[in-house]
Amino acid sequence: MGALVKDMTPDPAQIELTILMPCLNEAETIETVVRKAMGYLASSGIVGEVLIADNGSTDGSQGLATALGARVIAVPVRGYGAALIAGIDAALGRYIIMGDADDSYDFTALDPFVEKLRGGNDLVMGNRFKGGIKPGAMPPLHRYLGNPVLSQIGRSFFKIPIGDFHCGLRGFSREAILRLNLSNTGMEFASEMVVKASMRKLAIVEVPTVLSPDGRSRPPHLRTWRDGWRHLRFLLLHSPRWLFLYPGVFFILVGVAALLVLGGGDVMLRAGIGLGVHTLAVACFAVLIGSQLLLFSGVARRYAEIEGFLPEAQSFRWLMQLLTLEWIAPVGAVLLLGGIVGFFAAVMQWASSNFGAITDDNILRVLLISLTSIALGVQTIASGFLASVFEIRHKHETVR
């Protein structure tokens, strides 16, 4: 079995499956997982290899794996994602099943993954919550808060029917995953694979898998709060509509509604309680915040599309078409000029009182709305120029 992989490696075209494991100082478990993986290839009759992407181990993990017939590649760039990216690139198999080298996943029970891959699926995710989590295998904070919350956010943001976003045991078509141009070198690589696979309409399914306590005596590489935040940040940055668009629309709707109600004067809710010019000031700030977020959503989405880490989204086409200097500059100019006219009208009324304390709420109303219009005009025009900068670069790179 070992000679088949180590000394008599078949033609790469004949290798169907690569079992890939990232490794960083896993001497305690590397022999166990390599034996299990090699045993699975032998018992299943699958022509394959066991590939270890070593991330700079200093405990002899490389030699232990090689002695058992695994192929080992050195990955100088540190990080879980960096090791897997290098491993995927170096893999010889048509399909790849990746899993941690800490013996928390059973590499002898890979039939469900192979079956789904042979059935035409591009990404087969393990689901530990369906397969079973053995006592002590996952910290309670991860099991009941971190994983469920982040998985739910992923499902809500990207409409992916996957129950366990961060399962480390997963199989995929090497060709399909290479087309995703995965780039995250840290733990958020796990989220990047799922999100980009969904965005590019790859066929994704999941199968139950069992998670066992790992066989190491040292703490895991995963850092709860740091890596949890990095996963959340990745999900937010890859969903401009949730990060910018939806909050922006909410603030604009609330602010504009308040402006329409309070623009003509105070509103009494009931005896002794009313909304006046101070509430109008809050409404103005809500409009400013909302419009800025709305513009950010368009600019962020356009930049992401140009850089290639987000595909073009038809639901954003209307915003992309409007977010050009030719369309947006006239709108900004109207807001700016209207605000300037209103500002000078308010100043002239203020001058009639020798620029003393403004006691007339009507002057304050005109002043607040005018200044808001000026700010909206400036930020709108500026966003148009910023979007045009992206277009110049994009057109230049296309021509070149």
Side-chain angles (χ1 to χ4, degrees), residues 102-106 132-138 210-215:
D102 59 5
D103 199 27
S104 57
Y105 297 108
D106 186 1
I133 300 173
K134 294 184 178 180
M138 184 183 294
V210 177
L211 180 69
S212 303
D214 66 60

Side-chain angles (χ1 to χ4, degrees), residues 167-206:
C167 182
L169 186 63
R170 55 185 73 179
F172 46 86
S173 160
R174 178 177 180 271
E175 181 183 358
I177 295 302
L178 283 176
R179 290 199 302 267
L180 301 182
N181 294 317
L182 303 177
S183 60
N184 279 275
T185 59
M187 290 292 184
E188 63 270 37
F189 173 87
S191 294
E192 181 186 19
M193 179 184 288
V194 181
V195 168
K196 287 190 174 181
S198 173
M199 287 182 170
R200 286 162 177 78
K201 309 301 182 183
L202 299 188
I204 306 174
V205 296
E206 63 179 359

Side-chain angles (χ1 to χ4, degrees), residues 337-372 374:
L337 293 175
I340 291 173
V341 171
F343 173 78
F344 280 108
V347 169
M348 291 179 64
Q349 288 186 346
W350 185 21
S352 63
S353 62
N354 296 321
F355 296 105
I358 301 178
T359 57
D360 187 346
D361 284 352
N362 289 325
I363 297 178
L364 284 176
R365 284 191 182 85
V366 175
L367 189 60
L368 285 170
I369 295 174
S370 299
L371 290 174
T372 300
I374 291 172

Side-chain angles (χ1 to χ4, degrees), residues 64-83:
L64 296 173
T66 302
L68 291 172
R71 183 161 65 96
V72 178
I73 61 168
V75 184
V77 179
R78 286 296 182 95
Y80 174 77

